[in-house]
Amino acid sequence: MKKIAIIGSGSWGMALGIYLANMGNNISVWSYDEEEKREINEERRCRYLPDISIPEKIRCFSNFEQVLEDAEIILHVTPSRFTRQTLKKYKEYVKDNQMIVMCSKGFEADTLMLL
């Protein structure tokens, strides 16, 4: 069992989180939206996956420090247009022993660079 942080609470991030939680891992998800955080934590639902129940091993936070605390693996799962700015916001909380896995896809619109 691992503690995994997921940065991004959309359909892709939550699908990964649900799969990993069902495999026995503890999942912390970051969302920028307080209402979405409440829906995930209290109603156990994701607005982007309306027919799926969120496992109890998933907790959602709007604070990067809480999400990343003690995480062994960080999955970065934001839309490509928000990747750079989001990474800049949480990089100070990443420890040397934490692995970051880029799960976002696409190009950065302004630079046309790969993520």
Side-chain angles (χ1 to χ4, degrees), residues 1-8 13-30 57-61 64 66-77 98-101 103:
M1 178 173 71
K2 295 190 182 296
K3 181 159 189 253
I4 300 171
I6 298 178
I7 305 298
M14 291 306 296
L16 289 171
I18 291 165
Y19 174 78
L20 293 167
N22 287 337
M23 297 298 289
N25 299 289
N26 290 314
I27 310 298
S28 296
V29 176
W30 173 79
K57 287 187 168 267
I58 295 178
R59 297 296 305 159
C60 187
F61 302 90
F64 288 118
Q66 286 178 297
V67 171
L68 299 175
E69 185 178 9
D70 300 324
E72 298 171 59
I73 301 169
I74 301 165
L75 302 183
H76 185 98
V77 196
Q98 294 175 309
M99 177 191 324
I100 299 176
V101 179
C103 299

Side-chain angles (χ1 to χ4, degrees), residues 7-13 30 32 48 76-87 102-109 115:
I7 305 298
S9 55
S11 58
W12 181 221
W30 173 79
Y32 70 91
Y48 305 108
H76 185 98
V77 196
T78 64
S80 58
R81 68 179 180 262
F82 301 121
T83 295
R84 184 182 298 266
Q85 71 189 42
T86 305
L87 277 165
M102 182 61 67
C103 299
S104 299
K105 60 184 176 12
F107 295 90
E108 197 175 54
L115 302 178

